Amino acid sequence: MDIAKIGKRVYAAAVSAIFGLAYISPQAFAQTNAGPARFEETNPSVSYTVGWTQGDTSGTWSGGTAAVSSAPGAQATMSFTGTSVSWIGGRTPQTGIARVFLDGVFVAEVDTYSKSQEVRVPMFAAIGLADASHTFTIEVTGRQNASAAGALIVVDAFDVPAVAISRLQETDPSVTYSAGWVQDNPIVTLIPGVTTGWTQGASLRGWSAGAARLSTTPGAQATFTFTGTGISWIGARGTQSGIARVSLDGILVAVVDMYSPKEQIQAEVFAATGLAATSHTLTIEGTGQQNAFSQNALIVVDAFDVTTPGTRHQDTDPAIAYGPGWIQGNRDKAYSEGATAESNTVGSQATITFTGTGISWIGARGPQCGIARVFLDGAFVEDFDTYSQTEGPQHTDFSRSGLAAGTHTLTIQVIGKNPLATDAWILVDAFDVTP
């Protein structure tokens, strides 16, 4: 007789009685949110040469495990049919440089180094392919960024077709908190003379972007406003974790028990898909309740993964033309596919030429960010101030839909800064184009 299972069933009944909702265990959550486009690294469509270690559980990987290698020349190949594919992996201070091939032809080198640990994130996407059978190969080079402490490469999963996903941190200005929340570590604080707000830092735990917000206060709420067709709350499970109420657009949709006998950092603890492509709110509320086996009622808000319609074009896409004053390859924050282009030179311009009916500029907000002038098809649209007290990498700074089907240009120009900003940095991280 399994006493633990009986205890969990009894507690599930109690939660249901208290809140009038079905109890969602981590196991049930995993079963009900499996997506048909996600191919785990264990799928028969993925083949490996010698040099890979499969079944790695060092991170909270998609499906629970990942394949890892630092052996030069080791290859992992995904065979698929479709017009695009996205490699899902991990970026850390210890990860290295990979070469990617499409249908046997070299495409790019991918530097997977990151200052912070980022799991289950898009590493590289191949888009605009013929709707036919293809192979996508990841090759370990054994080389690493000058700042990296290792050359490890992680293969966690593949998305077919590729999905446009932005990871918004808990410090994003679109996230608001009631009283009762604290920052995970003392490094992420208000530092007069250095910043004018909360900044991302380092932690004893591997939070996304190095920080998270925590609460054990009953009724404490965190509300995230976003535009997209899907949302995932990135939090944590463990022996200290409690129970949260989750509301979507003001409607209570789930009670999530985050207890786990094993600590899981950057865990996807709730997800909703199939939403209308419009503005939504997701509210997380601490209940002060906890699983019968948990030692506390801790709730963690680490980040949010937002899925948006359309095709993502990274800052390195050849469709983007940069004038003088831009710096590419900046890796100081948790950017889309790990890097971004940036400029603080007044007058500097970046222009993307695209074909579609809508476009979103994925940039950033923060204490050091400036004001951008936006032009669509050469006509002035607006001046957008990207200053914020809090850091917001991968923030959607501008979006426009309902365009005539055809070819368009979107231009981002640096024009200065808010008096409160410490600098005038404008970031071009990616663009999402809607057909």
Side-chain angles (χ1 to χ4, degrees), residues 146-219:
S147 300
L152 192 71
I153 298 299
V154 179
V155 173
D156 189 8
F158 297 90
D159 284 346
V160 180
V163 179
I165 301 173
S166 295
R167 176 160 292 187
L168 286 302
Q169 300 301 323
E170 89 290 348
T171 53
D172 192 273
S174 294
V175 188
T176 60
Y177 298 91
S178 68
W181 294 88
V182 297
Q183 200 73 19
D184 168 59
N185 62 81
I187 297 175
V188 184
T189 57
L190 289 165
I191 309 173
V194 178
T195 74
T196 56
W198 293 101
T199 61
Q200 295 169 347
S203 171
L204 296 177
R205 288 178 169 81
W207 304 123
S208 180
R213 289 284 180 100
L214 318 175
S215 181
T216 57
T217 304

Coordinates of all heavy atoms in Angstrom, one line a residue, residues 146-219:
A146 N 34.4 33.0 -25.2 CA 35.6 33.4 -24.4 C 35.1 33.5 -22.9 O 35.9 33.3 -22.0 CB 36.2 34.7 -24.8
S147 N 33.8 33.8 -22.7 CA 33.3 34.0 -21.3 C 32.8 32.7 -20.7 O 32.5 32.6 -19.5 CB 32.2 35.0 -21.3 OG 32.7 36.3 -21.7
A148 N 32.7 31.6 -21.6 CA 32.1 30.4 -21.1 C 33.1 29.5 -20.3 O 34.3 29.6 -20.5 CB 31.5 29.6 -22.3
A149 N 32.5 28.7 -19.4 CA 33.3 27.8 -18.6 C 33.3 26.4 -19.1 O 33.8 25.4 -18.5 CB 32.8 27.8 -17.2
G150 N 32.6 26.1 -20.3 CA 32.5 24.8 -20.8 C 32.0 24.8 -22.3 O 31.7 25.9 -22.8
A151 N 32.0 23.7 -22.9 CA 31.6 23.6 -24.3 C 30.4 22.6 -24.5 O 30.2 22.1 -25.6 CB 32.8 23.1 -25.2
L152 N 29.6 22.4 -23.4 CA 28.5 21.5 -23.5 C 27.4 21.9 -24.4 O 27.1 23.1 -24.5 CB 27.9 21.3 -22.1 CG 26.9 20.1 -21.9 CD1 27.7 18.8 -21.9 CD2 26.2 20.3 -20.5
I153 N 26.8 21.0 -25.2 CA 25.6 21.3 -26.0 C 24.5 20.5 -25.5 O 24.6 19.3 -25.2 CB 26.0 21.0 -27.5 CG1 27.1 21.9 -28.0 CG2 24.7 21.2 -28.3 CD1 26.8 23.4 -27.9
V154 N 23.3 21.1 -25.5 CA 22.1 20.4 -24.9 C 21.0 20.3 -26.0 O 20.7 21.3 -26.7 CB 21.5 21.2 -23.8 CG1 20.2 20.5 -23.3 CG2 22.5 21.4 -22.6
V155 N 20.6 19.1 -26.3 CA 19.4 18.8 -27.1 C 18.3 18.4 -26.3 O 18.3 17.3 -25.7 CB 19.7 17.8 -28.2 CG1 18.5 17.4 -29.0 CG2 20.8 18.3 -29.2
D156 N 17.3 19.2 -26.1 CA 16.1 18.9 -25.3 C 14.9 18.4 -26.1 O 14.2 17.5 -25.7 CB 15.8 20.2 -24.5 CG 14.8 19.9 -23.4 OD1 14.4 18.7 -23.1 OD2 14.3 20.9 -22.7
A157 N 14.6 19.1 -27.2 CA 13.4 18.8 -28.0 C 13.5 19.5 -29.3 O 14.4 20.3 -29.5 CB 12.2 19.1 -27.2
F158 N 12.5 19.3 -30.1 CA 12.3 20.0 -31.4 C 10.9 20.4 -31.6 O 10.0 19.6 -31.3 CB 12.8 19.2 -32.6 CG 14.3 18.9 -32.6 CD1 14.7 17.7 -31.9 CD2 15.2 19.7 -33.1 CE1 16.0 17.4 -31.9 CE2 16.6 19.4 -33.1 CZ 17.0 18.2 -32.5
D159 N 10.6 21.6 -32.0 CA 9.2 22.0 -32.3 C 9.1 22.1 -33.9 O 9.8 22.7 -34.6 CB 8.9 23.4 -31.8 CG 8.6 23.3 -30.3 OD1 8.4 22.2 -29.7 OD2 8.6 24.4 -29.6
V160 N 8.1 21.3 -34.4 CA 7.8 21.3 -35.8 C 6.3 21.6 -36.0 O 5.4 20.8 -35.5 CB 8.1 20.0 -36.4 CG1 7.8 20.0 -37.9 CG2 9.6 19.6 -36.2
P161 N 5.9 22.7 -36.5 CA 6.7 23.8 -37.0 C 7.3 24.6 -35.9 O 6.9 24.5 -34.7 CB 5.8 24.7 -37.9 CG 4.5 24.5 -37.2 CD 4.4 23.0 -36.8
A162 N 8.3 25.5 -36.2 CA 8.9 26.4 -35.2 C 7.8 27.3 -34.7 O 6.9 27.8 -35.4 CB 10.0 27.2 -35.8
V163 N 7.9 27.6 -33.4 CA 6.9 28.5 -32.7 C 7.6 29.7 -32.2 O 8.7 29.7 -31.7 CB 6.2 27.7 -31.5 CG1 5.2 28.6 -30.8 CG2 5.6 26.4 -32.0
A164 N 6.9 30.9 -32.3 CA 7.5 32.1 -31.8 C 7.2 32.2 -30.3 O 6.0 32.3 -29.9 CB 6.9 33.3 -32.6
I165 N 8.2 32.1 -29.5 CA 8.1 32.1 -28.1 C 9.0 33.2 -27.5 O 10.2 33.3 -27.8 CB 8.5 30.8 -27.5 CG1 7.6 29.7 -28.0 CG2 8.4 30.8 -25.9 CD1 8.0 28.3 -27.6
S166 N 8.5 34.0 -26.6 CA 9.2 35.0 -25.9 C 9.2 34.7 -24.4 O 8.1 34.4 -23.8 CB 8.7 36.4 -26.0 OG 8.8 36.9 -27.4
R167 N 10.4 34.6 -23.8 CA 10.4 34.4 -22.3 C 10.5 35.8 -21.6 O 11.6 36.5 -21.7 CB 11.6 33.5 -21.9 CG 11.7 33.4 -20.4 CD 12.5 32.2 -20.0 NE 11.8 30.9 -20.3 CZ 12.2 29.7 -19.9 NH1 13.3 29.6 -19.2 NH2 11.5 28.7 -20.2
L168 N 9.4 36.2 -21.0 CA 9.4 37.4 -20.2 C 9.7 37.2 -18.8 O 9.1 36.3 -18.2 CB 8.0 38.1 -20.4 CG 7.6 38.8 -21.7 CD1 8.6 39.8 -22.1 CD2 7.5 37.7 -22.8
Q169 N 10.6 37.9 -18.2 CA 11.1 37.7 -16.9 C 10.1 38.3 -15.8 O 9.2 39.1 -16.2 CB 12.5 38.3 -16.7 CG 13.5 37.7 -17.6 CD 13.7 36.2 -17.4 OE1 13.6 35.7 -16.3 NE2 13.9 35.5 -18.5
E170 N 10.3 37.9 -14.6 CA 9.4 38.3 -13.5 C 9.6 39.8 -13.3 O 8.8 40.5 -12.6 CB 9.7 37.5 -12.2 CG 10.7 38.1 -11.3 CD 12.2 37.9 -11.8 OE1 12.4 37.2 -12.8 OE2 13.1 38.5 -11.2
T171 N 10.7 40.4 -13.8 CA 10.9 41.9 -13.6 C 10.3 42.7 -14.8 O 10.4 43.9 -14.8 CB 12.4 42.1 -13.6 OG1 13.1 41.5 -14.8 CG2 13.1 41.6 -12.3
D172 N 9.7 42.0 -15.8 CA 9.2 42.7 -16.9 C 8.1 43.7 -16.4 O 7.3 43.4 -15.5 CB 8.5 41.7 -17.9 CG 8.2 42.3 -19.2 OD1 7.1 42.9 -19.3 OD2 9.0 42.3 -20.1
P173 N 8.1 44.9 -17.0 CA 7.1 45.9 -16.6 C 5.7 45.5 -16.8 O 4.8 46.2 -16.2 CB 7.5 47.2 -17.4 CG 8.3 46.6 -18.6 CD 9.0 45.4 -18.1
S174 N 5.4 44.5 -17.6 CA 4.0 44.0 -17.7 C 3.6 43.1 -16.6 O 2.4 42.7 -16.5 CB 3.9 43.2 -19.0 OG 4.1 44.0 -20.2
V175 N 4.5 42.9 -15.6 CA 4.1 42.1 -14.4 C 3.9 43.0 -13.2 O 4.8 43.8 -12.9 CB 5.2 41.0 -14.1 CG1 4.7 40.1 -13.0 CG2 5.5 40.2 -15.3
T176 N 2.8 43.0 -12.6 CA 2.6 43.8 -11.4 C 2.4 42.9 -10.2 O 1.8 41.8 -10.3 CB 1.3 44.7 -11.5 OG1 0.2 43.9 -11.8 CG2 1.5 45.7 -12.7
Y177 N 2.8 43.4 -9.0 CA 2.7 42.6 -7.8 C 1.9 43.4 -6.7 O 2.1 44.6 -6.5 CB 4.1 42.3 -7.3 CG 5.0 41.5 -8.2 CD1 5.8 42.1 -9.1 CD2 5.0 40.1 -8.2 CE1 6.5 41.3 -10.0 CE2 5.7 39.3 -9.0 CZ 6.5 40.0 -9.9 OH 7.3 39.2 -10.8
S178 N 1.1 42.6 -6.0 CA 0.5 43.2 -4.8 C 1.6 43.1 -3.6 O 2.7 42.6 -3.8 CB -0.7 42.4 -4.4 OG -0.4 41.1 -4.0
A179 N 1.2 43.5 -2.4 CA 2.1 43.4 -1.3 C 2.3 41.9 -1.0 O 1.4 41.1 -1.3 CB 1.5 44.1 -0.1
G180 N 3.4 41.5 -0.4 CA 3.6 40.2 0.0 C 4.7 39.4 -0.8 O 4.9 38.2 -0.5
W181 N 5.3 40.0 -1.8 CA 6.3 39.4 -2.6 C 7.7 39.9 -2.3 O 7.8 41.1 -1.9 CB 6.0 39.6 -4.1 CG 4.8 39.0 -4.6 CD1 3.5 39.5 -4.6 CD2 4.7 37.6 -5.1 NE1 2.6 38.6 -5.1 CE2 3.3 37.5 -5.4 CE3 5.5 36.6 -5.4 CZ2 2.8 36.3 -6.0 CZ3 5.1 35.4 -6.0 CH2 3.7 35.3 -6.3
V182 N 8.7 39.0 -2.3 CA 10.1 39.5 -2.1 C 10.9 39.0 -3.3 O 10.6 38.0 -3.9 CB 10.6 38.9 -0.8 CG1 9.9 39.5 0.4 CG2 10.6 37.4 -0.7
Q183 N 12.1 39.7 -3.5 CA 13.0 39.2 -4.5 C 13.8 38.1 -3.9 O 14.1 38.0 -2.7 CB 13.9 40.4 -5.0 CG 14.6 40.1 -6.3 CD 13.7 40.3 -7.5 OE1 12.6 40.8 -7.4 NE2 14.1 39.7 -8.6
D184 N 14.3 37.2 -4.8 CA 15.0 36.0 -4.3 C 16.3 36.3 -3.6 O 16.7 35.6 -2.7 CB 15.2 35.0 -5.5 CG 16.2 33.9 -5.1 OD1 15.9 33.2 -4.2 OD2 17.2 33.8 -5.8
N185 N 17.0 37.3 -4.1 CA 18.4 37.5 -3.6 C 18.7 39.0 -3.4 O 18.1 39.8 -4.1 CB 19.4 36.9 -4.6 CG 19.4 37.5 -5.9 OD1 20.0 38.6 -6.1 ND2 18.7 36.9 -6.9
P186 N 19.6 39.3 -2.5 CA 19.9 40.7 -2.2 C 20.7 41.4 -3.3 O 20.8 42.6 -3.3 CB 20.8 40.5 -0.9 CG 21.4 39.2 -1.0 CD 20.4 38.3 -1.7
I187 N 21.2 40.7 -4.3 CA 21.9 41.3 -5.4 C 21.0 42.1 -6.3 O 21.3 43.1 -6.8 CB 22.7 40.3 -6.2 CG1 23.8 39.6 -5.3 CG2 23.4 40.9 -7.4 CD1 24.5 38.5 -6.0
V188 N 19.7 41.6 -6.4 CA 18.7 42.2 -7.2 C 18.0 43.2 -6.4 O 16.9 42.9 -5.8 CB 17.8 41.2 -7.8 CG1 16.8 41.8 -8.8 CG2 18.6 40.1 -8.6
T189 N 18.5 44.4 -6.3 CA 17.9 45.4 -5.4 C 18.0 46.8 -6.0 O 18.6 47.0 -7.1 CB 18.6 45.5 -4.0 OG1 20.0 45.7 -4.3 CG2 18.5 44.2 -3.3
L190 N 17.4 47.8 -5.3 CA 17.6 49.1 -5.8 C 19.0 49.6 -5.3 O 19.3 49.6 -4.2 CB 16.5 50.0 -5.1 CG 15.1 49.8 -5.6 CD1 14.1 50.5 -4.6 CD2 14.9 50.4 -7.0
I191 N 19.8 50.0 -6.3 CA 21.1 50.5 -6.0 C 21.3 51.9 -6.5 O 21.5 52.1 -7.7 CB 22.2 49.6 -6.7 CG1 21.9 48.1 -6.4 CG2 23.6 49.9 -6.3 CD1 22.8 47.1 -7.2
P192 N 21.2 52.9 -5.6 CA 21.3 54.3 -6.0 C 22.6 54.5 -6.7 O 23.6 54.1 -6.3 CB 21.2 55.0 -4.7 CG 20.5 54.1 -3.7 CD 20.9 52.7 -4.2
G193 N 22.5 55.3 -7.9 CA 23.6 55.6 -8.6 C 24.0 54.6 -9.7 O 24.8 54.9 -10.5
V194 N 23.5 53.4 -9.6 CA 23.8 52.4 -10.6 C 22.6 52.1 -11.4 O 22.7 52.0 -12.7 CB 24.3 51.1 -9.9 CG1 24.5 50.0 -10.9 CG2 25.5 51.3 -9.1
T195 N 21.4 51.9 -10.8 CA 20.2 51.7 -11.6 C 19.1 52.6 -10.9 O 19.3 53.1 -9.9 CB 19.7 50.3 -11.6 OG1 19.2 50.0 -10.3 CG2 20.9 49.3 -11.9
T196 N 18.0 52.6 -11.6 CA 16.9 53.3 -11.0 C 15.7 52.4 -10.8 O 14.6 52.7 -10.6 CB 16.4 54.4 -12.0 OG1 16.0 53.8 -13.3 CG2 17.4 55.5 -12.2
G197 N 16.1 51.1 -10.7 CA 15.0 50.1 -10.4 C 15.5 48.7 -10.2 O 16.7 48.5 -10.0
W198 N 14.6 47.8 -10.2 CA 15.0 46.4 -10.0 C 15.8 45.9 -11.2 O 15.5 46.2 -12.3 CB 13.8 45.5 -9.9 CG 13.0 45.7 -8.6 CD1 11.8 46.4 -8.5 CD2 13.3 45.2 -7.3 NE1 11.4 46.4 -7.2 CE2 12.3 45.7 -6.5 CE3 14.3 44.5 -6.8 CZ2 12.2 45.4 -5.1 CZ3 14.3 44.2 -5.4 CH2 13.3 44.7 -4.6
T199 N 16.9 45.2 -10.9 CA 17.7 44.7 -12.0 C 17.9 43.2 -11.9 O 17.7 42.7 -10.8 CB 19.1 45.3 -12.0 OG1 19.8 45.0 -10.8 CG2 19.0 46.8 -12.2
Q200 N 18.3 42.5 -12.9 CA 18.5 41.1 -12.9 C 19.9 40.8 -12.3 O 20.8 41.5 -12.5 CB 18.4 40.5 -14.3 CG 16.9 40.6 -14.8 CD 16.8 40.2 -16.2 OE1 17.8 40.1 -16.9 NE2 15.6 40.1 -16.7
G201 N 20.0 39.7 -11.5 CA 21.3 39.5 -10.9 C 21.6 38.0 -10.8 O 21.3 37.2 -11.7
A202 N 22.2 37.6 -9.7 CA 22.6 36.2 -9.5 C 21.9 35.6 -8.3 O 21.5 36.3 -7.4 CB 24.1 36.1 -9.3
S203 N 21.8 34.3 -8.2 CA 21.1 33.7 -7.2 C 21.8 32.3 -6.8 O 22.5 31.8 -7.6 CB 19.6 33.4 -7.5 OG 19.0 32.6 -6.6
L204 N 21.5 31.8 -5.7 CA 22.0 30.5 -5.3 C 21.3 29.4 -6.1 O 21.8 28.3 -6.3 CB 21.8 30.2 -3.8 CG 22.6 31.1 -2.9 CD1 22.2 30.8 -1.4 CD2 24.1 31.0 -3.1
R205 N 20.1 29.7 -6.7 CA 19.4 28.8 -7.5 C 19.4 29.3 -9.0 O 19.6 30.4 -9.3 CB 17.9 28.7 -7.1 CG 17.8 27.9 -5.7 CD 16.4 27.8 -5.3 NE 16.2 26.9 -4.2 CZ 16.5 27.1 -2.9 NH1 16.9 28.3 -2.6 NH2 16.3 26.2 -2.0
G206 N 19.2 28.3 -9.9 CA 19.3 28.6 -11.3 C 18.0 29.2 -11.9 O 17.5 28.6 -12.8
W207 N 17.6 30.4 -11.4 CA 16.4 31.0 -11.9 C 16.7 31.5 -13.3 O 17.8 31.9 -13.7 CB 16.0 32.2 -11.0 CG 15.7 31.9 -9.6 CD1 16.3 32.5 -8.5 CD2 14.7 31.0 -9.1 NE1 15.8 32.0 -7.4 CE2 14.8 31.0 -7.6 CE3 13.8 30.1 -9.6 CZ2 14.0 30.3 -6.8 CZ3 13.1 29.3 -8.8 CH2 13.1 29.4 -7.4
S208 N 15.6 31.6 -14.1 CA 15.8 32.2 -15.4 C 16.2 33.7 -15.2 O 15.6 34.4 -14.4 CB 14.4 32.2 -16.2 OG 14.5 32.8 -17.4
A209 N 17.2 34.1 -16.0 CA 17.8 35.4 -15.8 C 18.4 35.7 -14.5 O 18.7 36.9 -14.1 CB 16.8 36.5 -16.2
G210 N 18.5 34.7 -13.6 CA 19.2 34.8 -12.4 C 18.4 35.3 -11.2 O 19.0 35.5 -10.1
A211 N 17.1 35.5 -11.3 CA 16.3 36.0 -10.2 C 14.9 35.6 -10.3 O 14.4 35.1 -11.4 CB 16.4 37.5 -10.2
A212 N 14.1 35.7 -9.2 CA 12.7 35.3 -9.2 C 12.0 36.1 -8.0 O 12.7 36.6 -7.1 CB 12.5 33.8 -9.0
R213 N 10.7 36.1 -8.1 CA 9.9 36.7 -6.9 C 9.3 35.5 -6.2 O 8.8 34.6 -6.8 CB 8.8 37.6 -7.5 CG 9.4 38.9 -8.0 CD 9.8 39.9 -6.9 NE 10.3 41.2 -7.5 CZ 9.6 42.3 -7.6 NH1 8.3 42.3 -7.2 NH2 10.1 43.4 -8.1
L214 N 9.3 35.7 -4.8 CA 8.8 34.6 -4.0 C 7.7 35.2 -3.0 O 7.7 36.3 -2.6 CB 9.9 34.0 -3.1 CG 11.3 33.8 -3.8 CD1 12.3 33.3 -2.8 CD2 11.1 32.7 -4.9
S215 N 6.8 34.3 -2.6 CA 5.8 34.7 -1.6 C 5.2 33.5 -0.9 O 5.0 32.4 -1.5 CB 4.6 35.5 -2.3 OG 3.7 35.9 -1.3
T216 N 4.9 33.7 0.4 CA 4.2 32.7 1.2 C 2.9 33.4 1.8 O 2.3 32.8 2.6 CB 5.0 32.1 2.3 OG1 5.5 33.2 3.1 CG2 6.2 31.3 1.8
T217 N 2.6 34.6 1.3 CA 1.6 35.4 1.9 C 0.2 35.0 1.2 O 0.1 35.1 0.0 CB 1.8 36.9 1.6 OG1 3.1 37.2 2.2 CG2 0.7 37.7 2.3
P218 N -0.7 34.6 2.0 CA -2.1 34.3 1.5 C -2.7 35.5 0.8 O -2.6 36.6 1.4 CB -2.9 33.9 2.7 CG -1.9 33.4 3.7 CD -0.7 34.3 3.5
G219 N -3.1 35.4 -0.4 CA -3.8 36.5 -1.1 C -2.8 37.3 -1.9 O -3.2 38.2 -2.7

